[in-house]
Amino acid sequence: MIKGAIFDLDGTLFDSMFIWDTIGEKYLSSIGYEPKENLNETFKTMSLYNAACYYKSEYGVTLSVDEIMDGVNRMVEKYYINEVQLKPGVYDFVKHLHNIGVKMCIATATDKYLVEAALERCGINECFSEIFTCTSVGHSKDEPDIYREALKHLSTPKDDTVVFEDAIYAIRTAKKDGFRVVAIYDKSEDNQAEVKTLCDFYIKDYSDMQGFWRFAAPMKTALSIAGSDCSGGAGIQADIKTMTMNGVYAMSAITALTAQNTTGVFAISESTPDFLKEQIDAVFEDIYPDSVKIGMVSSSELISVIAERLKFYNAKNIVVDPVMVATSGSELMKTEALQTLIEKLLPIATVVTPNIPEAEVLSGEKIQNKIDMMDVAKSIGDKYGCAVLLKGGHSINDANDLLYSNSNFKWFEGKRINNLNTHGTGCTLSSAIAANLAKGLSLDESIRNAKDYISGALSAMLDLGKDSGPMNHAFKII
């Protein structure tokens, strides 16, 4: 989602370029000089200050630069104060950006007091935190200074900030300086073919903005490779709910069907290795996932297929939840599969998320306190080259989790919630981490967001089933 927007004024927000098409010649004639050229073309890329300097150097105007600028502004001010109108659809669009928290400012060649008058009259002045003019920054839009100053003011990441412009020369400048540019059609700009080629997105008018929202907020995607839980509390079902609630598009490749509920797992029917491969291929070849979460995989053959296909597609942001035993106590991984997971999945993982019993199996060491947690996390991380989030929810501490990454330790404190319904907590946490990684957050941020989410889901106190029931994954919308 875009976080910042830098708007040009004339031709972009307002239907006002007609004012400037003839103002250069009109002003010169009004002070007794005969234009020798098409001043509209001459002044097209100039700031008002530079235009005033041009009058003096090329026409011998004896007025000072400030007097010339004041004279031009007096000629056009009636239009800005009383007449110019927003382009159709601008009001609703700008208001919506403002309401969803997008930071906005103006970058224009027009004098600031004229801009303020027009914005206030049209009811959108509160949407813009600052007005930058070519005169105030000392350069026309042939140079990127005005966009740089605006970006500095907004304090938004450049990649998440969009420049809105209509003029080809300004679009060239912003693009050359690395900005994303949305081009707005205006009849004053003749070279629309080049405008369309240069810009990142082209708006004919503001009445239909569906395409813009796909450009501005492309949906991130996450793939869950895990088993199905027919009771909906864990596995693929929990993953899809969690990823969706954390703002990404969820996809799945099913490793096994299970017959299970809150009391236990009664049957497991594995996917064949060939069918799992077909599922993974189908996803990657059409909607490439921004992250991958791997949950229950019960056999060596399936683990080998997953590792091979993820390497083939150069998958990123891989979260491995080494599911060995269900919350109900049922075993979910064959003994021989463990070694394959250790040898083939952990080395390609971004992060592995074992609980205390799983970490003991992976390391072969006993964990009885926080020092043991640190030793085991370091042992696993150093041996397999991945980050380790060791979950402390098994009576070692009050749900404090330990991240070991790049030789550094970080504790994530969590308050133990008095809720016995914890079916699917491991699946939910790892899926939430994957969803946040897909959105471009750091591992630390992703873990913190995931822990906040799972705390909310547990705190909703959903009570379903005869034993340890599921959480309320949709607590945010109820």
Side-chain angles (χ1 to χ4, degrees), residues 350-476:
T350 303
V351 61
V352 60
T353 62
N355 57 31
I356 297 294
E358 290 163 349
E360 290 178 335
V361 172
L362 291 175
S363 66
E365 302 174 28
K366 195 69 178 171
I367 299 174
Q368 296 181 322
N369 52 50
K370 292 177 69 173
I371 300 299
D372 292 343
M373 287 181 69
M374 296 175 70
D375 290 342
V376 167
K378 185 177 188 304
S379 172
I380 296 171
D382 289 349
K383 187 171 183 180
Y384 303 110
C386 60
V388 180
L389 180 68
L390 181 45
K391 297 175 290 189
H394 281 69
S395 301
I396 297 299
N397 57 46
D398 283 339
N400 296 333
D401 299 339
L402 172 66
L403 175 65
Y404 178 74
S405 178
N406 296 320
S407 301
N408 294 313
F409 293 99
K410 181 170 183 176
W411 286 96
F412 290 85
E413 295 185 358
K415 183 179 179 182
R416 188 173 293 278
I417 297 168
N418 188 23
N419 185 349
L420 298 178
N421 295 310
T422 58
H423 181 53
T425 49
C427 303
T428 299
L429 182 68
S430 56
S431 295
I433 293 171
N436 281 278
L437 288 173
K439 293 189 289 187
L441 276 68
S442 69
L443 182 56
D444 284 13
E445 292 172 314
S446 296
I447 291 170
R448 171 52 58 203
N449 287 353
K451 283 183 68 68
D452 289 345
Y453 171 75
I454 200 170
S455 294
L458 285 168
S459 297
M461 294 296 172
L462 183 66
D463 189 17
L464 297 174
K466 297 177 180 178
D467 206 327
S468 180
M471 297 169 291
N472 185 356
H473 293 91
F475 71 93
K476 290 183 179 180

Side-chain angles (χ1 to χ4, degrees), residues 281-297:
D281 288 345
V283 170
F284 272 91
E285 290 175 7
D286 188 22
I287 306 174
Y288 191 95
D290 295 298
S291 68
V292 179
K293 174 266 172 86
I294 303 169
M296 172 197 164
V297 191

Side-chain angles (χ1 to χ4, degrees), residues 329-345:
S330 302
E331 291 190 5
L332 297 174
M333 179 180 286
K334 297 174 184 176
T335 304
E336 68 272 15
L338 175 62
Q339 193 59 33
T340 309
L341 180 143
I342 288 172
E343 293 175 357
K344 295 188 175 182
L345 279 188

